[in-house]
Amino acid sequence: MLSNRQLFLANTAQTSTSPRLIEIDRAEGVYLYGPSGERYIDLVSGFAVSNIGHRHPRVIEAISNQLDRYLHVTVYGEFVQAPQVALATELLAVLPERFDSVYFTNSGTEATEGAMKIAKKFTGRRQIIAAEKAYHGSTQGALSLIGNPEYHRAYAPLLPEIEFIRYNNQNDIAKIDTSTAAVILEAVQGEAGIRVPDLSYMRAVRERCDETGTVLIFDEIQTGFGRTGKLFAFQHYGIEPDILLLAKGMGGGMPIGAFIANKAIMDVIKDNPMLGHITTFGGHPVSCAAALASLNVIIDEHLVDDVERKAQLFRKYLQHPAIREIRGIGLMMCIQLDTFEQVADVSRYCADNGVIIDWFLHCATALRVSPPLIISDDDIAKACQTILNALDRKH
């Protein structure tokens, strides 16, 4: 009889030539468990998904309650579904007044796609500007915005009229002009290795977009829902985007995303043509119920309040000659090393010793540290000691 690992390799599409093959039997809180009882401290959170931890009781309860009512009933946007209504209402209540319309999707990538469409139709323009080393998703449109030519070549041609600027470089802001429909930026660059922008840069981009009538899109797919020490990362900068992209930490472990704007921008999809942007499963009622519960956990349990203190604990413990830099904001951090070989070795050692840690798409020389926001001080200390032990072996 074939094992699950053998069946995984035989029957499941692979995204790399060397999958990590860590088998997970269950998860709870900050821990993942293997089929033989192995326990891992999760420092990746499913790539910034499990902000409130795995299987939070309030999320499980919300899912169970919705299962007793209905699952999918029709294409998004046609029926009044209570989970969607409640979630949209709560999201708008914690966002600035400029946001008054939510479109739910299945994922962050789909949120990116929707935002691109409404920005182009609203402005009547075609050019979109993104940042070098950006990551906004893997569909053809979102892939066109990835500022790394290595990921374009195999899938060309992609969307036309996409231009790139250097993230956090004010000299490139002049490229934004009256032909630009939208500028899309990550509020903190994630896959580039956690690049936090200067306040002056973000404010200059906002000012330039205002001058040129360009829509400013902030991708908060990784940064949203408390990850950076604010509910949303744009709150650090004292500015607001025109369109906000959310996903990952939104659903409490369930798949969901959203693009959020004001009605003037969002309503362009209502006609000419009618149903200008549709989705079958976007805003699934179970995912919306889970997301509402997750948002309420973050707020009710004041999880954001302790993020920066916990981040400082990581910085305190992670002192080692092999560590060149620790970059980040809140519990969205990276450990900069010298080589990918170091990164891969540390990652393997940590997994073998009960800590899950990973690296980045556009920065293979750094380790990702994005634990659930509920991680305890003791688990921070244990995880950091395991990382230090791994580094000691090669230093």
Side-chain angles (χ1 to χ4, degrees), residues 230-270:
K230 299 279 189 183
L231 194 56
F232 304 104
F234 73 81
Q235 295 170 327
H236 291 284
Y237 309 139
I239 60 169
E240 299 168 3
D242 299 302
I243 304 176
L244 180 66
L245 310 184
L246 301 175
K248 290 190 181 291
M250 180 176 178
M254 292 292 286
I256 189 169
F259 55 102
I260 305 176
N262 62 46
K263 286 185 171 64
I265 297 175
M266 191 72 80
D267 282 356
V268 300
I269 59 176
K270 291 167 64 174

Short mmCIF file of all heavy atoms in Angstrom, two decimals, residues 230-270:
data_model
loop_
_atom_site.label_atom_id
_atom_site.label_comp_id
_atom_site.label_asym_id
_atom_site.label_seq_id
_atom_site.Cartn_x
_atom_site.Cartn_y
_atom_site.Cartn_z
N LYS A 230 -0.47 47.00 13.29
CA LYS A 230 -1.69 47.76 13.07
C LYS A 230 -2.68 46.81 12.41
O LYS A 230 -2.28 45.81 11.80
CB LYS A 230 -1.46 48.98 12.16
CG LYS A 230 -0.46 50.00 12.68
CD LYS A 230 -1.10 50.93 13.70
CE LYS A 230 -0.16 52.08 14.05
NZ LYS A 230 -0.73 52.96 15.09
N LEU A 231 -3.96 47.12 12.49
CA LEU A 231 -4.93 46.25 11.84
C LEU A 231 -4.62 46.16 10.35
O LEU A 231 -4.66 45.07 9.75
CB LEU A 231 -6.35 46.75 12.09
CG LEU A 231 -7.47 45.77 11.74
CD1 LEU A 231 -7.32 44.44 12.48
CD2 LEU A 231 -8.83 46.39 12.03
N PHE A 232 -4.26 47.31 9.75
CA PHE A 232 -3.83 47.35 8.35
C PHE A 232 -2.56 48.18 8.27
O PHE A 232 -2.42 49.19 8.95
CB PHE A 232 -4.92 47.95 7.46
CG PHE A 232 -6.23 47.21 7.56
CD1 PHE A 232 -7.28 47.74 8.30
CD2 PHE A 232 -6.40 45.98 6.97
CE1 PHE A 232 -8.48 47.07 8.42
CE2 PHE A 232 -7.59 45.28 7.09
CZ PHE A 232 -8.63 45.82 7.82
N ALA A 233 -1.64 47.76 7.42
CA ALA A 233 -0.32 48.39 7.40
C ALA A 233 -0.36 49.84 6.94
O ALA A 233 0.48 50.65 7.35
CB ALA A 233 0.63 47.58 6.51
N PHE A 234 -1.33 50.21 6.08
CA PHE A 234 -1.36 51.60 5.61
C PHE A 234 -1.57 52.56 6.77
O PHE A 234 -1.26 53.76 6.66
CB PHE A 234 -2.42 51.79 4.51
CG PHE A 234 -3.85 51.77 4.97
CD1 PHE A 234 -4.43 52.90 5.54
CD2 PHE A 234 -4.63 50.65 4.82
CE1 PHE A 234 -5.76 52.89 5.96
CE2 PHE A 234 -5.96 50.62 5.22
CZ PHE A 234 -6.52 51.75 5.80
N GLN A 235 -2.07 52.06 7.90
CA GLN A 235 -2.28 52.92 9.06
C GLN A 235 -0.97 53.41 9.66
O GLN A 235 -0.97 54.37 10.42
CB GLN A 235 -3.11 52.17 10.11
CG GLN A 235 -4.52 51.87 9.64
CD GLN A 235 -5.28 50.92 10.56
OE1 GLN A 235 -4.68 50.03 11.18
NE2 GLN A 235 -6.58 51.09 10.67
N HIS A 236 0.14 52.77 9.31
CA HIS A 236 1.45 53.25 9.75
C HIS A 236 1.86 54.51 9.00
O HIS A 236 2.73 55.26 9.48
CB HIS A 236 2.53 52.19 9.51
CG HIS A 236 2.44 50.98 10.37
ND1 HIS A 236 2.81 50.96 11.69
CD2 HIS A 236 2.03 49.71 10.07
CE1 HIS A 236 2.64 49.74 12.19
NE2 HIS A 236 2.17 48.97 11.23
N TYR A 237 1.29 54.76 7.82
CA TYR A 237 1.84 55.76 6.92
C TYR A 237 1.06 57.08 6.90
O TYR A 237 1.51 58.05 6.30
CB TYR A 237 1.89 55.20 5.49
CG TYR A 237 2.56 53.85 5.38
CD1 TYR A 237 2.05 52.85 4.57
CD2 TYR A 237 3.71 53.57 6.12
CE1 TYR A 237 2.67 51.61 4.49
CE2 TYR A 237 4.34 52.34 6.04
CZ TYR A 237 3.80 51.35 5.23
OH TYR A 237 4.41 50.13 5.14
N GLY A 238 -0.11 57.07 7.52
CA GLY A 238 -0.88 58.32 7.54
C GLY A 238 -1.50 58.67 6.21
O GLY A 238 -1.82 59.83 5.96
N ILE A 239 -1.65 57.69 5.32
CA ILE A 239 -2.32 57.89 4.03
C ILE A 239 -3.30 56.74 3.82
O ILE A 239 -3.28 55.75 4.55
CB ILE A 239 -1.32 57.94 2.86
CG1 ILE A 239 -0.54 56.63 2.77
CG2 ILE A 239 -0.39 59.14 2.98
CD1 ILE A 239 0.27 56.50 1.49
N GLU A 240 -4.16 56.90 2.80
CA GLU A 240 -5.12 55.86 2.47
C GLU A 240 -5.05 55.56 0.98
O GLU A 240 -4.92 56.47 0.17
CB GLU A 240 -6.54 56.32 2.84
CG GLU A 240 -6.72 56.63 4.31
CD GLU A 240 -8.03 57.35 4.60
OE1 GLU A 240 -8.82 57.56 3.64
OE2 GLU A 240 -8.25 57.72 5.77
N PRO A 241 -5.13 54.30 0.60
CA PRO A 241 -5.19 53.96 -0.81
C PRO A 241 -6.61 54.19 -1.34
O PRO A 241 -7.55 54.42 -0.58
CB PRO A 241 -4.85 52.47 -0.83
CG PRO A 241 -5.39 51.97 0.48
CD PRO A 241 -5.17 53.11 1.47
N ASP A 242 -6.76 54.09 -2.66
CA ASP A 242 -8.09 54.15 -3.26
C ASP A 242 -8.74 52.77 -3.30
O ASP A 242 -9.96 52.66 -3.22
CB ASP A 242 -7.99 54.72 -4.69
CG ASP A 242 -7.42 56.12 -4.69
OD1 ASP A 242 -8.01 57.00 -4.04
OD2 ASP A 242 -6.37 56.33 -5.33
N ILE A 243 -7.92 51.75 -3.48
CA ILE A 243 -8.39 50.37 -3.48
C ILE A 243 -7.50 49.58 -2.54
O ILE A 243 -6.27 49.70 -2.56
CB ILE A 243 -8.36 49.74 -4.88
CG1 ILE A 243 -9.16 50.57 -5.88
CG2 ILE A 243 -8.90 48.31 -4.84
CD1 ILE A 243 -9.09 50.06 -7.32
N LEU A 244 -8.12 48.75 -1.70
CA LEU A 244 -7.40 47.93 -0.72
C LEU A 244 -7.62 46.46 -1.05
O LEU A 244 -8.76 46.03 -1.26
CB LEU A 244 -7.93 48.24 0.68
CG LEU A 244 -7.31 47.49 1.86
CD1 LEU A 244 -5.85 47.88 2.04
CD2 LEU A 244 -8.10 47.76 3.14
N LEU A 245 -6.53 45.70 -1.10
CA LEU A 245 -6.61 44.26 -1.38
C LEU A 245 -6.35 43.49 -0.09
O LEU A 245 -5.36 43.74 0.61
CB LEU A 245 -5.56 43.84 -2.42
CG LEU A 245 -5.49 44.64 -3.71
CD1 LEU A 245 -4.48 44.01 -4.65
CD2 LEU A 245 -6.86 44.75 -4.37
N LEU A 246 -7.24 42.54 0.22
CA LEU A 246 -7.12 41.73 1.42
C LEU A 246 -7.28 40.25 1.08
O LEU A 246 -7.94 39.90 0.10
CB LEU A 246 -8.20 42.12 2.44
CG LEU A 246 -8.22 43.57 2.92
CD1 LEU A 246 -9.42 43.80 3.83
CD2 LEU A 246 -6.93 43.93 3.64
N ALA A 247 -6.70 39.40 1.90
CA ALA A 247 -6.88 37.94 1.79
C ALA A 247 -6.12 37.31 2.96
O ALA A 247 -6.07 37.87 4.05
CB ALA A 247 -6.41 37.41 0.44
N LYS A 248 -5.51 36.16 2.74
CA LYS A 248 -4.66 35.43 3.68
C LYS A 248 -5.19 35.46 5.12
O LYS A 248 -6.03 34.64 5.48
CB LYS A 248 -3.22 35.93 3.59
CG LYS A 248 -2.53 35.52 2.28
CD LYS A 248 -1.06 35.82 2.30
CE LYS A 248 -0.37 35.42 0.99
NZ LYS A 248 -0.31 33.96 0.79
N GLY A 249 -4.72 36.38 5.97
CA GLY A 249 -5.13 36.40 7.36
C GLY A 249 -6.59 36.74 7.58
O GLY A 249 -7.08 36.71 8.71
N MET A 250 -7.30 37.02 6.52
CA MET A 250 -8.70 37.43 6.61
C MET A 250 -9.62 36.30 7.05
O MET A 250 -10.56 36.53 7.82
CB MET A 250 -9.14 37.96 5.25
CG MET A 250 -10.56 38.45 5.14
SD MET A 250 -10.80 39.12 3.48
CE MET A 250 -12.52 39.58 3.55
N GLY A 251 -9.37 35.09 6.61
CA GLY A 251 -10.35 34.03 6.73
C GLY A 251 -10.21 33.11 7.92
O GLY A 251 -10.97 32.14 8.03
N GLY A 252 -9.25 33.35 8.79
CA GLY A 252 -9.07 32.46 9.92
C GLY A 252 -8.70 31.04 9.52
O GLY A 252 -8.92 30.09 10.27
N GLY A 253 -8.16 30.89 8.31
CA GLY A 253 -7.80 29.58 7.79
C GLY A 253 -8.65 29.14 6.62
O GLY A 253 -8.34 28.14 5.96
N MET A 254 -9.72 29.86 6.33
CA MET A 254 -10.58 29.57 5.18
C MET A 254 -10.22 30.46 4.01
O MET A 254 -9.73 31.59 4.20
CB MET A 254 -12.05 29.76 5.56
CG MET A 254 -12.57 28.75 6.56
SD MET A 254 -12.69 27.08 5.88
CE MET A 254 -14.13 27.26 4.82
N PRO A 255 -10.45 29.99 2.77
CA PRO A 255 -10.07 30.79 1.60
C PRO A 255 -11.04 31.94 1.34
O PRO A 255 -12.24 31.73 1.18
CB PRO A 255 -10.12 29.77 0.45
CG PRO A 255 -11.09 28.74 0.91
CD PRO A 255 -10.95 28.65 2.40
N ILE A 256 -10.51 33.15 1.32
CA ILE A 256 -11.32 34.33 1.03
C ILE A 256 -10.38 35.50 0.75
O ILE A 256 -9.26 35.56 1.27
CB ILE A 256 -12.28 34.67 2.20
CG1 ILE A 256 -13.27 35.76 1.79
CG2 ILE A 256 -11.51 35.05 3.46
CD1 ILE A 256 -14.41 35.95 2.79
N GLY A 257 -10.85 36.42 -0.07
CA GLY A 257 -10.12 37.66 -0.34
C GLY A 257 -11.14 38.75 -0.59
O GLY A 257 -12.35 38.52 -0.60
N ALA A 258 -10.66 39.97 -0.82
CA ALA A 258 -11.56 41.08 -1.10
C ALA A 258 -10.78 42.22 -1.74
O ALA A 258 -9.60 42.42 -1.45
CB ALA A 258 -12.24 41.57 0.17
N PHE A 259 -11.45 42.95 -2.63
CA PHE A 259 -10.96 44.28 -2.98
C PHE A 259 -12.03 45.27 -2.55
O PHE A 259 -13.23 45.02 -2.69
CB PHE A 259 -10.56 44.41 -4.45
CG PHE A 259 -11.60 44.06 -5.48
CD1 PHE A 259 -12.32 45.04 -6.16
CD2 PHE A 259 -11.83 42.73 -5.83
CE1 PHE A 259 -13.25 44.72 -7.14
CE2 PHE A 259 -12.75 42.39 -6.81
CZ PHE A 259 -13.47 43.38 -7.47
N ILE A 260 -11.56 46.37 -1.97
CA ILE A 260 -12.44 47.32 -1.29
C ILE A 260 -12.14 48.71 -1.82
O ILE A 260 -10.98 49.10 -1.97
CB ILE A 260 -12.23 47.26 0.24
CG1 ILE A 260 -12.41 45.83 0.75
CG2 ILE A 260 -13.19 48.22 0.95
CD1 ILE A 260 -12.14 45.67 2.25
N ALA A 261 -13.18 49.46 -2.13
CA ALA A 261 -13.02 50.81 -2.68
C ALA A 261 -14.23 51.64 -2.29
O ALA A 261 -15.05 51.22 -1.47
CB ALA A 261 -12.87 50.74 -4.20
N ASN A 262 -14.36 52.83 -2.90
CA ASN A 262 -15.61 53.56 -2.74
C ASN A 262 -16.54 53.23 -3.90
O ASN A 262 -16.11 52.68 -4.92
CB ASN A 262 -15.39 55.08 -2.59
CG ASN A 262 -14.74 55.68 -3.82
OD1 ASN A 262 -15.14 55.42 -4.95
ND2 ASN A 262 -13.75 56.54 -3.61
N LYS A 263 -17.80 53.53 -3.75
CA LYS A 263 -18.79 53.13 -4.75
C LYS A 263 -18.52 53.76 -6.11
O LYS A 263 -18.82 53.16 -7.16
CB LYS A 263 -20.19 53.46 -4.27
CG LYS A 263 -20.72 52.52 -3.18
CD LYS A 263 -22.17 52.84 -2.83
CE LYS A 263 -22.78 51.77 -1.92
NZ LYS A 263 -22.11 51.71 -0.61
N ALA A 264 -17.98 54.96 -6.14
CA ALA A 264 -17.71 55.60 -7.42
C ALA A 264 -16.79 54.75 -8.28
O ALA A 264 -16.96 54.65 -9.51
CB ALA A 264 -17.10 56.99 -7.20
N ILE A 265 -15.79 54.12 -7.64
CA ILE A 265 -14.87 53.24 -8.37
C ILE A 265 -15.49 51.87 -8.58
O ILE A 265 -15.49 51.32 -9.68
CB ILE A 265 -13.54 53.12 -7.62
CG1 ILE A 265 -12.84 54.47 -7.52
CG2 ILE A 265 -12.62 52.10 -8.29
CD1 ILE A 265 -11.57 54.46 -6.67
N MET A 266 -16.06 51.31 -7.54
CA MET A 266 -16.57 49.94 -7.61
C MET A 266 -17.74 49.79 -8.56
O MET A 266 -17.88 48.75 -9.24
CB MET A 266 -16.98 49.46 -6.22
CG MET A 266 -17.26 47.98 -6.12
SD MET A 266 -15.78 46.95 -6.23
CE MET A 266 -15.15 47.10 -4.55
N ASP A 267 -18.58 50.80 -8.65
CA ASP A 267 -19.81 50.66 -9.42
C ASP A 267 -19.60 50.58 -10.93
O ASP A 267 -20.56 50.33 -11.67
CB ASP A 267 -20.77 51.81 -9.10
CG ASP A 267 -21.49 51.62 -7.76
OD1 ASP A 267 -21.30 50.56 -7.14
OD2 ASP A 267 -22.23 52.53 -7.35
N VAL A 268 -18.37 50.75 -11.40
CA VAL A 268 -18.14 50.65 -12.85
C VAL A 268 -18.39 49.24 -13.37
O VAL A 268 -18.56 49.05 -14.58
CB VAL A 268 -16.71 51.09 -13.24
CG1 VAL A 268 -16.47 52.54 -12.85
CG2 VAL A 268 -15.64 50.18 -12.62
N ILE A 269 -18.42 48.23 -12.48
CA ILE A 269 -18.65 46.86 -12.95
C ILE A 269 -20.13 46.53 -13.07
O ILE A 269 -20.49 45.43 -13.51
CB ILE A 269 -17.97 45.83 -12.01
CG1 ILE A 269 -18.50 45.95 -10.58
CG2 ILE A 269 -16.47 45.96 -12.06
CD1 ILE A 269 -17.94 44.89 -9.64
N LYS A 270 -21.03 47.48 -12.72
CA LYS A 270 -22.46 47.18 -12.71
C LYS A 270 -23.09 47.21 -14.11
O LYS A 270 -24.09 46.54 -14.36
CB LYS A 270 -23.20 48.17 -11.80
CG LYS A 270 -22.89 47.97 -10.33
CD LYS A 270 -23.37 49.13 -9.47
CE LYS A 270 -24.86 49.29 -9.48
NZ LYS A 270 -25.29 50.35 -8.51
#
